[in-house]
Amino acid sequence: MLELAIGIILGGCALGAGTAMIAGIGPGIGEGNAVAKACEAIGRQPESKGDVTSTMLMGCAIAETTGLYALVIAILLIFVAPNLLVNILLKAIG
Amino acid sequence: MKHNKSRLFKLIDMVYICMMVLPVVAGILLKVLTAPPAEGIQITGARIFCRIPMPLQDLLITEAQINSWLVMISIFGLCLYITHGLTTKNISKRQHLAEWIVTTVEKLVSGNMGEYFKGFAPFITAILALSAFSSLLSLVGLYPPTSDLNVVGGWAILVFILITYYKAKCGPLQYMKSFAEPVPFLAPLNIISEVATPLSMAFRHYGNVLSGTVISVLIATGLQGLSRLLLGWIPVLGELSLLQIGLPAILSIYFDVFSGCLQAYIFAMLTMMYVAGGFPLDLYLQRKQKKHKKQLSGGNV
């Protein structure tokens, strides 16, 4: 029974980590849009390449934030949560 | 014309170079001597060297702390080295480098923050150098301190204190009023976004560096397995994982060099933008003028 419970915990953590990383879609699309627009802008005004590039990198970094939140949650679920949850379970059983 | 350097000058130069290089060598030695033998995939946090008992919680001395101190000593040596022997004539190469760094950062700071914050240039340079060199430490195989949330979280809290200080510079009443900015009804959201600033800064930097480390380890291990599968039948070459040579280095250029330097730049940029953006400069100058006038009139009466 205990093995089953621990198995459910580990499986749930792995599934949760995988599901959390679906959030990677959002920043991917967003950054793609940003870079596409930056390329257009450079094509129209090649002399402003430096400014456009640095602003684009800045915007990309900020757009990436949601993806990184998902990454942090996934890392917590893989490396921290199983230990914690199993300890809670063992304490509850006694 | 080449000016002759005295023997003392060269000796001090050697001391500075040792100060730059020795911390890194010491870090590598420490890692080689104390690291447990690795086997398979190993993705762990910073190793804990010792615990110092403290009233609330044990103070942990970890690899991240030691490595960041080593980086600090190394940067200190670098600064001493490039500013050694400054002259006005016959400028040496290192003085050119030092002048280039100073002028670039001052231009960046005054361009992004305005003339009022010109004094921020040393702080921004320090953040840039510390963050970039910490991330680049993974090139020599050491644990990069920036992939520990505690280190980056500390910097983010420092930046948060600066933001709050400059926001509250026009008096506490003005600070409270800034939360009810568009409409008072939105105050809770403003408070949440205020707290989210340091959190997102810390998570961004740490997540980028850590994800690079994790992906590098996964790919290196995957290549090892692949080369065993493909080349395992060759008697001698099968033992060596041939695919592991070279390919991870290409990824390392992106994850260690490019991503590390970019994150340092972004952290410094965001610091500048948040500090300068939160400070109501016009209001502050108005208040200062009013105070000045009051003082003048009070003095006359």
Side-chain angles (χ1 to χ4, degrees), chain A residues 58 61 64-65 68-69 75, chain B residues 200 204 208 210-211 266 269-270:
Chain A
M58 212 44 231
E64 223 172 34
T65 311
L68 286 170
Y69 286 160
I75 284 173
Chain B
S200 78
R204 184 176 298 125
N208 265 298
L210 182 66
S211 69
I266 283 164
M269 252 343 230
L270 284 178

Side-chain angles (χ1 to χ4, degrees), chain B residues 168-207:
Chain B
K169 222 177 174 188
C170 288
L173 204 72
Q174 192 62 39
Y175 178 63
M176 303 296 267
K177 224 168 98 185
S178 76
F179 282 111
E181 224 5 91
V183 264
F185 161 71
L186 285 178
L189 285 179
N190 278 332
I191 292 170
I192 289 174
S193 78
E194 191 77 12
V195 177
T197 305
L199 266 183
S200 78
M201 275 174 95
F203 277 158
R204 184 176 298 125
H205 198 147
Y206 138 89

